Structure formats: structure tokens, C-alpha cells
Amino acid sequence: MARIVGAAEFKATCLRVIKQMGRDGEPVTITNRGRPVAILSPAPASGSAPSIIGAMRGSVLSYDSPFSPAADPSDWTSAR
């Protein structure tokens, strides 16, 4: 279960809360007057980079002519 800490308590015990989170791997929800305002979560394991496969999925909404050239051929010049 995620730990819930008030903002004042977090301010006073920040280093202890971070060390505990590092040991148990559980995220900490920080509240202000009983309302959640932030979630502190452990960093991913060192050396494990996120995969770029599928990172752009859904970013192109439509493309009218997928098989036509991206630029007009007359825009290209030769340096001969």
C-alpha cells in the first residue's frame, strides 16, 4: 500500500522518507490539508533506459498521400 505523508511531515522528514522509499520501492503520496498534491516514486533501475519502440505511436493523426514525395522534385538542386 502506498504511504501517505502530509506536506509538513514530509518537509520535516524528507531524507528519511526518501531513504525508506528507496528500500521498499513503494511510492509516497504527499498531501496538503488532506488533498494529494504530489506522488514521489522511485527512479527506474540504473542502466535500464526506456525503450523507444512505439514512443511515437499515435502522434501522426493522418497523412493524405503516404506514397507521394515529401517535397516537390523541383525543390532539389544538383551541385554539378
Side-chain angles (χ1 to χ4, degrees), residues 39-52:
I39 297 176
L40 183 64
S41 63
S46 176
S48 63
S51 174
I52 63 168

Side-chain angles (χ1 to χ4, degrees), residues 9-74:
E9 179 187 350
F10 179 74
K11 182 178 177 183
T13 61
C14 177
L15 295 177
R16 186 165 20 114
V17 171
I18 290 172
K19 286 179 184 178
Q20 179 65 37
M21 184 191 60
R23 283 192 296 269
D24 63 22
E26 293 293 321
V28 177
T29 301
I30 302 166
T31 62
N32 187 12
R33 298 182 184 206
R35 291 183 15 195
V37 293
I39 297 176
L40 183 64
S41 63
S46 176
S48 63
S51 174
I52 63 168
I53 305 299
M56 297 297 293
R57 180 178 292 154
S59 64
V60 177
L61 301 178
S62 69
Y63 188 63
D64 296 332
S65 304
F67 298 108
S68 64
D72 187 72
S74 64

